[in-house]
Amino acid sequence: MSEFINNRELRSNNPNKRQAILKQIFEDLHAGKNVAEVKAHFDAFIGKITIDEISQLQHDYGSLSVEEMHQLHAKHTEIFKDSIEEIEKTNKPEEIPGHPIHTFILENRELDKLANITIQGDLGEFVQADSPENVLKLIEDINLLHDIDKHYSRKENLIFPYLETYGIFGPTTNMWRINDFIRDAIKDARQKLTSYNGDKQAVIEVLNFVIQEVTTMIYREENILFPMALNNFTEDEWVKIARESDEIGYCLIAPEEVWKPERHALDEKAISEGYIKMETGILSLKQLELLLNHLPVDLTFIDQDDVVRYFSHGKERIFARTKAVIGRTVQNCHPPRSVHVVEELLADFKAGRKDTEDFWIKFRDKYVYIRYFAVRDENGKYIGTLEFTQNIDPIQAIEGEKRIMS
């Protein structure tokens, strides 16, 4: 295998030696070595692995195809299976109704039943007879499974940012990629079913893929991601995550109750009544915040270092934002597959090649106009980027004139 794995004495508690072995194990997997052989080396020289050790393993698989990523993550799961040490906890917040992890796990139980009982059963009937009735059953199932987007969005926008503040990046980017693969497969399954043309095998393959990946992701969350978060996050951070979860929504179920920590909940920071003097007027901080939140658009500002510093909090945001993104780099707030677009845009703004860039997309039931502005000071120095997002469906629907009040 390698010079690292040639001596059973290396199976020790020395963290540097163990990390060297683990690094080589993953390089061997990446190079295509036999999984059974690598697993045997893992069992012989590592045995049990801790969540902390997993969190230190960072991988960049950006050049791999979707299929290669899936194959590699399946190998990772096979290596770790039944080898992760349990974290001893006298108080288990994940068992308290309303705690974010308790809710995530309840959702996973529902997702597991939906994927492995309902969809699996209806798929079996479809295999026997691809009648319109059996196709319709699967369409209803996959429409329910589409709710998984809220489960993954809470994970990406609330769990991942806090992990990154602890210097844990390994699970975030790669797990987000897998989340997107699952989302895409669910959309593909729905498209194949809603426009079913008799290609039974294509439907069977995509649904089997969805069932397998959803099930494997449940294992990764409950055995790696959630223990990692529980091992690091403070109660204050869990309180913030619980409060912001409502903004994104829940998957298939809702929290059993509002979580009330044993200690007093965090006091909301009162908005200062101080005033800000600007060139064209004076506003209190309260007035300024209310003014920005009443605009019929979403605003987000990132500074010159690409760090998210502010977003408006209107009644109906188009894209989910949580307070956990504040202080996070904008690259880590976007799905990995779209990060290159963000970086290219920011590079153009910083170099002075562009001052604005516009996009318009169909998003769910909205037609969304997204505008980016380079923010520069009076000397032309770049100090950040403003993102301006608006649902323009109502504007496009305007006809004629309106000259009197409603």
Side-chain angles (χ1 to χ4, degrees), residues 133-390:
E133 293 78 12
N134 286 337
V135 170
L136 182 58
K137 282 183 187 177
L138 287 172
I139 291 174
E140 291 172 348
D141 295 342
I142 212 72
N143 282 342
L144 278 176
L145 188 59
H146 191 264
D147 218 30
I148 204 171
D149 179 63
K150 286 180 266 187
H151 180 94
Y152 290 168
S153 290
R154 294 205 322 280
K155 183 170 64 171
E156 292 157 354
N157 291 287
L158 296 172
I159 301 295
F160 290 177
Y162 283 113
L163 282 178
E164 290 168 9
T165 65
Y166 289 95
I168 301 172
F169 296 91
T172 58
T173 300
N174 294 316
M175 191 174 278
W176 198 333
R177 282 198 183 98
I178 299 295
N179 291 348
D180 281 346
F181 296 158
I182 294 171
R183 288 178 173 115
D184 290 344
I186 291 171
K187 291 175 185 174
D188 186 31
R190 183 161 56 182
Q191 190 277 326
K192 282 181 168 61
L193 287 163
T194 54
S195 58
Y196 184 61
N197 61 3
D199 190 350
K200 182 190 284 190
Q201 189 58 37
V203 171
I204 294 170
E205 287 177 2
V206 70
L207 285 177
N208 278 329
F209 177 84
V210 167
I211 292 168
Q212 175 188 334
E213 291 305 317
V214 167
T215 305
T216 304
M217 182 56 75
I218 290 172
Y219 176 87
R220 291 181 184 127
E221 288 179 355
E222 297 187 4
N223 290 275
I224 299 175
L225 182 70
F226 297 161
M228 199 178 288
L230 288 166
N231 205 31
N232 285 280
F233 295 177
T234 66
E235 188 175 80
D236 285 358
E237 289 165 340
W238 284 121
V239 168
K240 292 175 184 175
I241 289 169
R243 289 180 175 178
E244 296 195 17
S245 292
D246 287 343
E247 297 178 20
I248 296 174
Y250 301 94
C251 170
L252 301 177
I253 57 95
E256 291 184 344
E257 58 186 72
V258 176
W259 177 49
K260 297 178 181 178
E262 292 180 4
R263 68 187 236 349
H264 294 297
L266 290 173
D267 293 330
E268 294 290 345
K269 289 185 178 180
I271 298 175
S272 169
E273 288 303 320
Y275 286 81
I276 297 177
K277 183 177 181 181
M278 294 172 279
E279 187 176 346
T280 53
I282 298 174
L283 293 172
S284 72
L285 290 178
K286 181 74 172 179
Q287 289 172 329
L288 179 60
E289 182 168 54
L290 289 172
L291 182 156
L292 291 169
N293 287 343
H294 276 73
L295 292 174
V297 298
D298 295 346
L299 302 176
T300 302
F301 177 73
I302 65 170
D303 67 15
Q304 69 275 10
D305 298 316
D306 304 344
V307 174
V308 180
R309 293 301 178 191
Y310 167 82
F311 64 88
S312 60
H313 197 22
K315 292 180 181 179
E316 296 184 10
R317 283 201 62 91
I318 296 170
F319 300 117
R321 289 281 191 279
T322 67
K323 294 173 187 173
V325 305
I326 303 299
R328 194 181 187 201
T329 61
V330 70
Q331 290 86 347
N332 285 329
C333 296
H334 287 75
R337 60 184 169 186
S338 65
V339 168
H340 69 285
V341 178
V342 175
E343 291 181 334
E344 184 177 345
L345 173 63
L346 293 175
D348 285 342
F349 281 1
K350 291 173 183 178
R353 290 187 291 268
K354 289 182 180 178
D355 286 318
T356 64
E357 184 68 70
D358 298 345
F359 302 89
W360 43 95
I361 61 172
K362 290 286 185 180
F363 181 71
R364 296 175 183 164
D365 60 340
K366 299 177 175 64
Y367 194 26
V368 182
Y369 188 31
I370 309 168
R371 309 195 70 190
Y372 293 91
F373 301 91
V375 180
R376 306 186 192 280
D377 66 14
E378 60 276 9
N379 298 316
K381 180 183 177 182
Y382 173 81
I383 64 166
T385 293
L386 174 67
E387 180 189 75
F388 173 105
T389 306
Q390 183 176 20

